[in-house]
């Protein structure tokens, strides 16, 4: 099976930084796009950042541009999100997402991590 496991969440003060990491494991043939989503209480899950397989293209939510950076290590099947200048409105559960083709399938599909809580105090 394929799994995504996040780490790095926590509680920080406004203006601080956090780095989230996500590792894909299991019987993986290839990984295409990888990204981060977040869901705040009472709100829909939203895209935060996404990065292509080569890493040459990224896309960010307007609310995080200039503060967050997404990057990946294809050799380790990991993706990370560096979050700087954090604001209380960044408080949410952050989910890793990846488009993965398993070894046992000819089709890629999106997988989700279990989520990691990020809380920013004012």
């Amino acid at each position: 099976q394929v799994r995504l496991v996040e780490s790095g969440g926590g509680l920080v003060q406004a203006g601080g930084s956090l780095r989230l990491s996500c590792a894909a494991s299991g019987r993986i043939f290839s990984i295409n796009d990888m990204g981060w989503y977040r869901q705040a209480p009472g709100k829909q899950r939203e895209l935060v950042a996404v990065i292509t397989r080569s890493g040459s293209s990224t896309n960010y939510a307007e609310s995080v541009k200039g503060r967050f950076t997404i990057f990946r290590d294809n050799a380790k099947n990991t993706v990370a999100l560096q979050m700087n200048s954090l604001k209380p409105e960044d408080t949410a559960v952050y989910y890793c997402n990846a488009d993965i083709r398993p070894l046992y399938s000819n089709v890629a599909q999106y997988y989700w991590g279990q989520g990691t809580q990020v809380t920013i105090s004012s």
Side-chain angles (χ1 to χ4, degrees):
Q1 297 299 324
V2 173
R3 293 181 63 201
L4 295 177
V5 178
E6 301 107 332
S7 61
L11 170 65
V12 297
Q13 290 187 330
S17 297
L18 277 175
R19 176 175 290 191
L20 306 182
S21 296
C22 173
S25 63
R27 302 178 66 192
I28 296 171
F29 178 78
S30 62
I31 304 177
N32 301 313
D33 291 356
M34 302 184 82
W36 291 91
Y37 288 71
R38 67 185 181 187
Q39 187 167 19
K43 295 187 177 181
Q44 289 187 333
R45 191 173 297 188
E46 63 174 356
L47 173 69
V48 177
V50 63
I51 185 168
T52 57
R53 180 175 182 177
S54 67
S56 61
S57 180
T58 58
N59 190 34
Y60 295 90
E62 285 295 327
S63 60
V64 307
K65 281 184 179 178
R67 300 188 297 122
F68 291 10
T69 303
I70 187 171
F71 52 96
R72 64 190 287 173
D73 184 336
N74 289 336
K76 297 180 180 179
N77 288 342
T78 60
V79 63
L81 185 68
Q82 177 65 42
M83 305 185 295
N84 299 327
S85 302
L86 285 161
K87 304 176 182 180
E89 51 264 42
D90 294 318
T91 295
V93 177
Y94 284 70
Y95 297 91
C96 177
N97 174 263
D99 183 23
I100 298 174
R101 180 186 164 187
L103 281 171
Y104 48 82
S105 174
N106 290 325
V107 178
Q109 65 182 78
Y110 284 96
Y111 291 82
W112 292 91
Q114 81 286 355
T116 184
Q117 178 69 48
V118 171
T119 303
I120 313 302
S121 62
S122 57

